[in-house]
Each structure stands twice: as structure tokens, then as C-alpha cells.
């Protein structure tokens, strides 16, 4: 068992919120077409409030802190927030589009001791990336920011959200990451907006495209292992928690609202009205989430994919039932393995056309 696995297991046993994702603003200098946020900046948490909440997080045992937005660097106090978080000994990860990062900002992030910076890059082509962000020249600015952060000695990860408009470009984004000495991660999940609007789901990559991704050794390594049929389910899996959301991690909005996760919009309390420790320990919503084990899932508990599915309870919640299946994750499990899921058999998730033999799948580059 790795050190991180040990840490997570100990935090789970002690009921410690090991990590918090804090969005300090929803304002952004980009308007990404797939974004699930409304870019409202009214009544954001003040600097003093955030400092107070960070102290509360530290007292509760939080170690990992993700600072994000919106674009967090639009806040004039963003560096003050980061530096105060580091004074409290948080392991800080920053999510930014890097458009506002120049040599001074890169150096200050490094001096503050930020552990990692995640930057969204959608394509190697300016016309594709900039069309997604709706900000002309954004790819050039973002790549310059990445190079400056790497030159300053920061760990950087290029996050590539995959959608219809950039589905053919991920290999080149991965190459950009290698060229700049950054890590690379790809995510084919498009989520509904936090206000419930699901219209952006039409941007999801179609089934055939996902099949190709799941059989690309450059992304998944051993394709035979990654696409293997699910293993038998044992009692440990049935008794396990579906996700760390609400168990060892949570999300805090720019208004102090607490949720199990940024993709799980179940309101659990507000830091302007209650302390973080009180919300963490007594929120009825968090207690409900924590009571759920894999065996309690209404459809998924009978699914052969139970131990390997990437099922997101937040996506399931937005589909109407936090204990039910997430249709997007049902589809991914099916496309990866070719084995029909319980959600599909129950009619709560519609299966795409049967996959061709892996040897017949070709990736268009």
C-alpha cells in the first residue's frame, strides 16, 4: 500500500477532511464553451473571511488545498491567499488558465511553495483552443505562462478536457506537455452546469471517439489490462465507499457554500453561518452521503463493474439519484470493456452501439 493510500485510509477512519477544493471566484477572463459555472462575482468571500476559513480548515486537519475558480488570479488578493495557506502548511495546488502568469507571477508562486499548478489546454491549434475559451490569443498566453512556470521550477500539469471540438487533438496536447516538461491528464467528462442546465452535454465525445481513446496505449498504457473485463466482486468492494467526496474531501464555493465535491452540488452548509468543523461533523447531507456504501447503490450494487467503474455520485445526483448510476460513467465502463452495465440493463443508461474489435479501431491523428 502506498503512503497516499495509507494516509487516505487513516483520514477515512478518523473522519478527517484530508482535502478541500476552494474556488475563490467564479469570475474568469475566459468563457469556455463547456464550463459548468456562471461567472458571477457578487458577494464573494472577502480576504478576511478566506483567511479565517483557512485557519478552520487547518484546525480540522485539512492537508491538501486546491485553489481554483473561475480564474483565481483575477482576485487581487490571490497571492496573499496562497501565501497565507502555505504559512498554515497546506500542500497547495493551483488551477489557473495561466493567461495572467508572467515571470513575476511564476517566481512568486514558486517562492510561495505551491506544490503543483494545473492548466487547461484544449488543443495545440490556436483556432481550436481559442474558439473553446472564447478569448483570442489565449493559447499563446497560456503556453507562455506554462513555460515561465516550468522555468521557475514549478510542477505543471496540462489538463485536457476532451469534447467534440478538440477530440482529434489530444496527442498533440500530450506532446506539448512533454515538450515543456509538464505532466499530462485527459478527461472526457463534460458535466451539467451547476444550475442544472444540461445543454452542454451535447459537447461530449461520441462513443466511437471514446473507444479510440480507451485503446490508445499512449494514454492508458497496457491496453489489454485497461480494457479487460471487470474482475469478480468481493465483500470488501461491496462494503467500500463509492467516492471520497464528503468522506475525506469537500468543496467550498466563492460564497462559502460547502458541498461534498465540486461536481456534487448537494448543499451541506455555509461557512458564513456555521464553522467548518460543525458543518463537517453534523451536516445531515454529509451524514447521508457517508452512510452510503457500494452495496447500497440502487442499480450499481448488482453491476459487474462495481469495483472498477469511475461512477461519480455527483453526476448521479444531477441525474436525479445520488444512489443511482451515472449514465456517462456507465457508457465509459461499457466502451472500455465491452461488457454491458447494470444501468444499461435496467434502462437507466442507454448503451451506445456495440464496440468493434479493438484491432479494427483506428485513431485519426
Amino acid at each position: 500500500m502506498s503512503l497516499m493510500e495509507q494516509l487516505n485510509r487513516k483520514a477515512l477512519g478518523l473522519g478527517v477532511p484530508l482535502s478541500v477544493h476552494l474556488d475563490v471566484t467564479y469570475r474568469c477572463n475566459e468563457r469556455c464553451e463547456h464550463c459548468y459555472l456562471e461567472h458571477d462575482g457578487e458577494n464573494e468571500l472577502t480576504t478576511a473571511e478566506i483567511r479565517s476559513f483557512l485557519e478552520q480548515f487547518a484546525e480540522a486537519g485539512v492537508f491538501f488545498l486546491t485553489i481554483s475558480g473561475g480564474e483565481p488570479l483575477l482576485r487581487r488578493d490571490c497571492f496573499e491567499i496562497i501565501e497565507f495557506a502555505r504559512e498554515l502548511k497546506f500542500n497547495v495546488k493551483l488551477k489557473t488558465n495561466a493567461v495572467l502568469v508572467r515571470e513575476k507571477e511564476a517566481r512568486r508562486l514558486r517562492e510561495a511553495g505551491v506544490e503543483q499548478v494545473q492548466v487547461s489546454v484544449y488543443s495545440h491549434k490556436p483556432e481550436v483552443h481559442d474558439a473553446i475559451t472564447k478569448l483570442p490569443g489565449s493559447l499563446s498566453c497560456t503556453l507562455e505562462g506554462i513555460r515561465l512556470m516550468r522555468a521557475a521550477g514549478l510542477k505543471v500539469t496540462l489538463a485536457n478536457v476532451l469534447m467534440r471540438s478538440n477530440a482529434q487533438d489530444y496527442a498533440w496536447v500530450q506532446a506539448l506537455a512533454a515538450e515543456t516538461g509538464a505532466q499530462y491528464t485527459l478527461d472526457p467528462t463534460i458535466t451539467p452546469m451547476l444550475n442544472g442546465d444540461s445543454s452542454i452535454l451535447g459537447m461530449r465525445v461520441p462513443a466511437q471517439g471514446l473507444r479510440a481513446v480507451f485503446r490508445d496505449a499512449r494514454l492508458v498504457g497496457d491496453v489489454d489490462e485497461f480494457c479487460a473485463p471487470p474482475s469478480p466482486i468481493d465483500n470488501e468492494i461491496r462494503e467500500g465507499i463509492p467516492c471520497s467526496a464528503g468522506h475525506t474531501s469537500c468543496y467550498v464555493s466563492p460564497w462559502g457554500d460547502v458541498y461534498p465535491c465540486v461536481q456534487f452540488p448537494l448543499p451541506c452548509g455555509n461557512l458564513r453561518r456555521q464553522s467548518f468543523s460543525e458543518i463537517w461533523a453534523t451536516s445531515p447531507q454529509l451524514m447521508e452521503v457517508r452512510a452510503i456504501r457500494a452495496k447500497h447503490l440502487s442499480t450499481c450494487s448488482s453491476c459487474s463493474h462495481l469495483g472498477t467503474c469511475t461512477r461519480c455520485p455527483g453526476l448521479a445526483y444531477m441525474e436525479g439519484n445520488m444512489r443511482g448510476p451515472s449514465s456517462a460513467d456507465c457508457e465509459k465502463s461499457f466502451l472500455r470493456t465491452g461488457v454491458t452495465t447494470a444501468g444499461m440493463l435496467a434502462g437507466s443508461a442507454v448503451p451506445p452501439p456495440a464496440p468493434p474489435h479493438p484491432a479494427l479501431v483506428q485513431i485519426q491523428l
Side-chain angles (χ1 to χ4, degrees):
M1 185 184 298
S2 70
L3 179 60
M4 184 57 65
E5 288 172 329
Q6 294 179 51
L7 185 60
N8 276 302
R9 180 167 294 189
K10 188 166 186 179
L12 181 62
L14 295 173
V16 172
L18 188 60
S19 61
V20 168
H21 177 143
L22 171 64
D23 277 349
V24 293
T25 184
Y26 283 166
R27 290 176 289 132
C28 193
N29 46 3
E30 296 182 335
R31 287 293 182 273
C32 296
E33 61 182 5
H34 63 290
C35 186
Y36 54 84
L37 300 175
E38 293 181 332
H39 300 292
D40 182 8
E42 293 295 321
N43 202 29
E44 290 176 347
L45 297 174
T46 65
T47 308
E49 285 177 318
I50 291 177
R51 289 172 70 99
S52 172
F53 300 155
L54 291 179
E55 290 175 334
Q56 292 179 42
F57 298 162
E59 185 177 351
V62 175
F63 179 63
F64 297 103
L65 178 69
T66 297
I67 295 176
S68 184
E71 172 48 54
L73 294 180
L74 284 179
R75 281 191 66 130
R76 295 177 182 272
D77 60 355
C78 187
F79 286 102
E80 179 184 340
I81 292 168
I82 292 170
E83 288 159 358
F84 185 67
R86 289 294 299 131
E87 288 177 21
L88 294 173
K89 308 302 182 187
F90 289 116
N91 177 293
V92 175
K93 175 181 179 179
L94 176 68
K95 291 188 177 184
T96 173
N97 57 38
V99 168
L100 299 177
V101 174
R102 291 298 172 260
E103 189 172 348
K104 176 184 175 182
E105 289 76 20
R107 184 174 61 252
R108 191 167 177 183
L109 290 173
R110 181 67 185 90
E111 290 172 351
V114 170
E115 174 65 21
Q116 185 186 63
V117 183
Q118 179 176 304
V119 183
S120 292
V121 177
Y122 303 109
S123 173
H124 63 300
K125 302 173 183 175
E127 64 271 22
V128 175
H129 178 96
D130 295 0
I132 290 172
T133 66
K134 306 277 195 299
L135 180 65
S138 57
L139 177 62
S140 176
C141 293
T142 290
L143 292 179
E144 177 64 12
I146 290 169
R147 294 187 177 101
L148 289 170
M149 288 189 289
R150 289 294 299 134
L154 286 159
K155 298 176 187 176
V156 178
T157 296
L158 270 61
N160 186 186
V161 175
L162 203 64
M163 60 195 99
R164 287 177 181 269
S165 57
N166 67 347
Q168 303 300 321
D169 297 346
Y170 66 83
W172 284 275
V173 179
Q174 190 177 30
L176 277 176
E179 174 192 320
T180 57
Q183 298 297 309
Y184 173 80
T185 180
L186 180 142
D187 185 1
T189 305
I190 302 295
T191 63
M193 293 186 68
L194 291 183
N195 64 9
D197 183 357
S198 61
S199 61
I200 60 176
L201 299 186
M203 299 177 188
R204 286 176 174 170
V205 176
Q208 184 62 29
L210 281 185
R211 290 191 190 106
V213 168
F214 292 156
R215 288 162 178 79
D216 188 339
R218 293 167 299 183
L219 297 175
V220 305
D222 187 330
V223 174
D224 290 336
E225 180 179 348
F226 185 77
C227 295
S231 302
I233 307 302
D234 59 26
N235 195 56
E236 183 178 358
I237 292 173
R238 291 189 181 92
E239 295 293 337
I241 62 172
C243 176
S244 64
H247 290 270
T248 58
S249 63
C250 68
Y251 165 69
V252 178
S253 80
W255 301 284
D257 297 306
V258 178
Y259 302 90
C261 172
V262 67
Q263 291 185 335
F264 195 164
L266 172 68
C268 300
N270 184 280
L271 293 174
R272 282 171 163 163
R273 296 189 290 271
Q274 296 171 276
S275 72
F276 178 71
S277 293
E278 181 182 1
I279 293 171
W280 184 257
T282 67
S283 164
Q285 294 82 9
L286 286 177
M287 300 292 278
E288 180 183 7
V289 169
R290 291 174 193 148
I292 301 172
R293 295 293 179 268
K295 65 182 180 182
H296 299 139
L297 301 176
S298 56
T299 300
C300 304
S301 59
S302 63
C303 186
S304 61
H305 293 276
L306 183 63
T308 56
C309 183
T310 58
R311 175 189 174 276
C312 171
L315 291 180
Y317 171 77
M318 284 190 276
E319 289 185 31
N321 181 6
M322 73 171 79
R323 292 173 177 80
S326 155
S327 59
D329 292 310
C330 277
E331 181 183 41
K332 284 188 284 186
S333 289
F334 172 71
L335 293 174
R336 181 169 55 84
T337 66
V339 177
T340 305
T341 71
M344 292 174 177
L345 292 173
S348 50
V350 180
H357 189 280
L360 301 178
V361 175
Q362 294 186 357
I363 304 167
Q364 183 179 350
L365 296 178

